[in-house]
Amino acid sequence: HDHYRFGPWRAKFEGFLAEGKLDGRKAFLLKPMTYMNESGVSVGAALRFFKLGAGDLVVIHDEIDLAAGKLKVKQGGGDAGHNGLRSITAAIGPDYRRVRVGVGHPGDKSRVHGHVLAAFAKEDAAWLVPLVGAMVEAAPLLAKDDDAGFATKIALILKPPTKKPKPEEDE
């Protein structure tokens, strides 16, 4: 929001909405303020108001089935037990784009609820801060519908290629 100088947050669609541009393309940021399990109420209302389809939406969400710090982008699919995604899918269908941010699995199914609702641990900042920074830097590629480019740019920011030393020429 701040990095790309989006407009002020306004209360709308049972959430907070900001308008701006990413790579010259109009974009909206929406933070639903409903319970997560009812995110589809907010998202569905915004899409209907702006006459946008599910394919125009990118949802960034936590994913326990990915290791902490891993990121994957996909279009459509199931909700994998994620109640926020289930709500959005019920409101608009499954064909929206998803940026899945790995938060790791707590190991035991009985601990999943507490794991996903708890704040990040201080030591998670070591991977979370660089990952979020890379996502911000690569965001214009999402606006261009270049999901593969978005994921690649993040990977390169987080782990730039090392230069191989040039072999010395015989003199």
Side-chain angles (χ1 to χ4, degrees):
H1 175 268
D2 293 341
H3 184 83
Y4 292 104
R5 301 179 194 264
F6 271 62
W9 290 105
R10 299 176 311 183
K12 200 162 186 163
F13 311 118
E14 296 191 51
F16 289 104
L17 178 84
E19 296 181 38
K21 289 193 176 192
L22 288 172
D23 200 43
R25 187 172 181 186
K26 188 172 193 173
F28 302 96
L29 301 177
L30 177 65
K31 295 192 292 186
M33 298 308 288
T34 58
Y35 287 107
M36 185 207 41
N37 296 359
E38 297 174 0
S39 298
V41 172
S42 178
V43 171
L47 288 181
R48 286 187 297 278
F49 180 84
F50 292 113
K51 296 178 176 55
L52 297 170
D56 297 312
L57 176 67
V58 177
V59 174
I60 299 171
H61 67 90
D62 60 339
E63 177 66 63
I64 64 170
D65 292 330
L66 289 177
K70 297 294 179 187
L71 181 133
K72 290 196 177 180
V73 184
K74 72 175 194 170
Q75 177 145 3
D79 57 46
H82 193 295
N83 292 328
L85 296 181
R86 183 177 297 134
S87 174
I88 293 169
T89 298
I92 67 165
D95 296 327
Y96 52 94
R97 294 158 55 207
R98 302 134 194 254
V99 175
R100 303 164 57 212
V101 179
V103 295
H105 197 286
D108 183 61
K109 189 175 181 179
S110 65
R111 294 177 36 210
V112 167
H113 185 77
H115 178 67
V116 297
L117 294 180
F120 285 101
K122 286 182 182 179
E123 58 268 13
D124 288 331
W127 63 264
L128 184 61
V129 171
L131 177 60
V132 170
M135 290 171 64
V136 168
E137 185 71 28
L141 292 166
L142 285 178
K144 290 182 185 179
D145 301 323
D146 185 358
D147 296 348
F150 172 77
T152 298
K153 184 167 186 171
I154 289 170
L156 290 172
I157 290 169
L158 296 176
K159 190 173 181 184
T162 56
K163 288 187 178 185
K164 294 180 184 175
K166 292 183 181 180
E168 292 186 30
E169 294 180 28
D170 291 332
E171 293 184 32

